[in-house]
Amino acid sequence: MRNRSLYILTEDLNFFYMLKNALDKYKIEFQILNLDAKIPTLSSLILTTSEDFDKLEVRSRDNYLVYVKNCNFDKYLIRVIAAYRIGYKEIYSTLTFSIDPGNKFGLMIFLDDFYLNSYCCFEKPELLRTIKSYIQTFQEDNPNLIQINFKIGRGILPIAFNLVNDIYKIFNGRKNLMVYLIDEFKSSKIKLSGERKVRKISKDEISALILAFRNGISVNLDNYEYIFEQIKNKNLKKDNLETLKTNNHEDNLLELKEIVSKVLNGELSLSGAVTSLTNNKT
């Protein structure tokens, strides 16, 4: 967590156990407070309910994430994870979704350039529901239109095409939306081992992370069908197909594994990872 300690303060046992189980799953450390305890104010974030908050003698919610009973707990949890991994903000500006399509869909989510969460989705509807949930969470109460970026692997063209088609249907007419088609060259060759500050990550999620490090072909609503046709027929100019490819060389793989671990542990931003790999390639 960026410069803040996390505390749970509640008398609601149902809320406490839901939150505790979720935080344990994500390996997020926290401490427990009683209502009559001295409330930390410096570099702290208090997780509580609206009922518990009303019992406290505080005037500001600046270091409180308050859950309102019967509201969507999953969206509240997303906010908690964001506060822990990126830093607490009322308003975030950018969401990036990197997707490795296939029989399963690896999904990596970045918020304001830092790793937020990841999933292995077994069906496309599950993938799209997850994406919409994250966008709704951070767009709610945000007066600005959040920037949404998609990086989509194009290894299986029909699946990638259908996914891009779905995205433009769901977000029809939305501004601040960018879609990139990414070369999947050896994106599934990386395997991780060792301690990490996040839960176990599947190979599909790691593949999606590798794709996030790469440049790709920018498409839009007006040209994506044409671009896919050009890729299918191998008619695109070579310059338009340049990506950050990872050579299967031991030194490069070791460096890539180190960058992957730093990104997942919140020690390196997505743009920082892209810059490091670009400089190494140069």
Side-chain angles (χ1 to χ4, degrees):
M1 183 176 177
R2 302 189 181 281
N3 301 318
R4 292 199 179 195
S5 299
L6 202 63
Y7 297 87
I8 299 179
L9 188 157
T10 184
E11 292 182 331
D12 185 331
L13 290 180
N14 185 49
F15 170 75
F16 173 80
Y17 283 112
M18 280 199 307
L19 187 55
K20 178 187 181 302
N21 290 338
L23 295 180
D24 287 344
K25 173 186 174 182
Y26 285 103
K27 294 188 176 182
I28 295 177
E29 297 180 356
F30 62 90
Q31 298 179 56
I32 301 172
L33 288 174
N34 296 319
L35 287 181
D36 57 356
K38 183 178 179 180
I39 306 299
T41 56
L42 185 63
S43 298
S44 65
L45 186 65
I46 314 297
L47 310 179
T48 189
T49 68
S50 56
E51 289 85 354
D52 293 312
F53 183 82
D54 290 340
K55 298 175 185 177
L56 302 172
E57 295 181 0
V58 294
R59 297 181 179 178
S60 173
R61 288 196 179 196
D62 288 347
N63 64 326
Y64 288 82
L65 266 179
V66 178
Y67 173 71
V68 179
K69 193 174 182 179
N70 297 324
C71 285
N72 190 313
F73 180 79
D74 290 336
K75 289 185 179 180
Y76 176 79
L77 179 61
I78 290 172
R79 282 280 184 179
V80 172
I81 297 172
Y84 182 81
R85 291 189 175 153
I86 285 81
Y88 175 70
K89 301 178 185 178
E90 290 187 5
I91 294 175
Y92 297 89
S93 59
T94 305
L95 271 170
T96 298
F97 301 95
S98 184
I99 305 169
D100 177 33
N103 293 329
K104 295 180 289 187
F105 294 84
L107 172 64
M108 276 278 161
I109 305 172
F110 296 86
L111 179 65
D112 285 1
D113 206 30
F114 281 90
Y115 168 73
L116 175 60
N117 212 346
S118 57
Y119 297 85
C120 180
C121 300
F122 291 87
E123 302 287 345
K124 187 170 66 171
E126 177 190 359
L127 171 76
L128 296 175
R129 282 196 304 269
T130 303
I131 289 170
K132 286 190 285 186
S133 177
Y134 274 80
I135 293 174
Q136 290 167 1
T137 296
F138 294 110
Q139 191 61 72
E140 287 176 358
D141 302 321
N142 188 340
N144 305 315
L145 192 62
I146 193 168
Q147 173 68 44
I148 302 174
N149 304 315
F150 287 95
K151 289 191 166 187
I152 300 173
R154 56 182 178 86
I156 307 176
L157 275 183
I159 297 178
F161 177 84
N162 288 334
L163 183 55
V164 172
N165 190 51
D166 287 334
I167 287 170
Y168 282 121
K169 284 182 179 178
I170 293 170
F171 303 106
N172 183 32
R174 183 186 175 103
K175 298 180 180 178
N176 290 12
L177 175 70
M178 297 294 296
V179 178
Y180 302 91
L181 305 180
I182 311 297
D183 190 344
E184 293 190 25
F185 177 80
K186 294 183 180 179
S187 62
S188 61
K189 300 296 183 182
I190 304 300
K191 295 182 179 180
L192 290 184
S193 60
E195 291 294 321
R196 292 188 300 280
K197 299 176 185 177
V198 297
R199 61 175 173 76
K200 185 177 179 181
I201 302 294
S202 70
K203 63 184 181 69
D204 300 282
E205 292 164 81
I206 292 299
S207 295
L209 179 56
I210 301 304
L211 297 181
F213 296 159
R214 299 179 177 176
N215 296 323
I217 305 168
S218 175
V219 300
N220 57 50
L221 179 61
D222 295 325
N223 70 8
Y224 79 93
E225 293 182 341
Y226 170 78
I227 294 294
F228 270 101
E229 191 65 27
Q230 294 298 298
I231 295 173
K232 179 181 177 181
N233 294 327
K234 300 181 179 180
N235 289 332
L236 274 183
K237 294 181 180 179
K238 185 176 180 180
D239 290 344
N240 292 335
L241 290 172
E242 288 186 353
T243 62
L244 291 176
K245 292 184 178 179
T246 303
N247 296 322
N248 192 18
H249 185 276
E250 185 179 18
D251 292 338
N252 288 335
L253 286 174
L254 287 174
E255 180 186 8
L256 182 57
K257 286 182 179 181
E258 181 180 358
I259 289 175
V260 165
S261 294
K262 286 183 176 181
V263 169
L264 291 177
N265 289 333
E267 301 167 19
L268 185 65
S269 67
L270 177 57
S271 59
V274 172
T275 299
S276 295
L277 289 170
T278 303
N279 290 341
N280 178 67
K281 183 180 177 182
T282 303

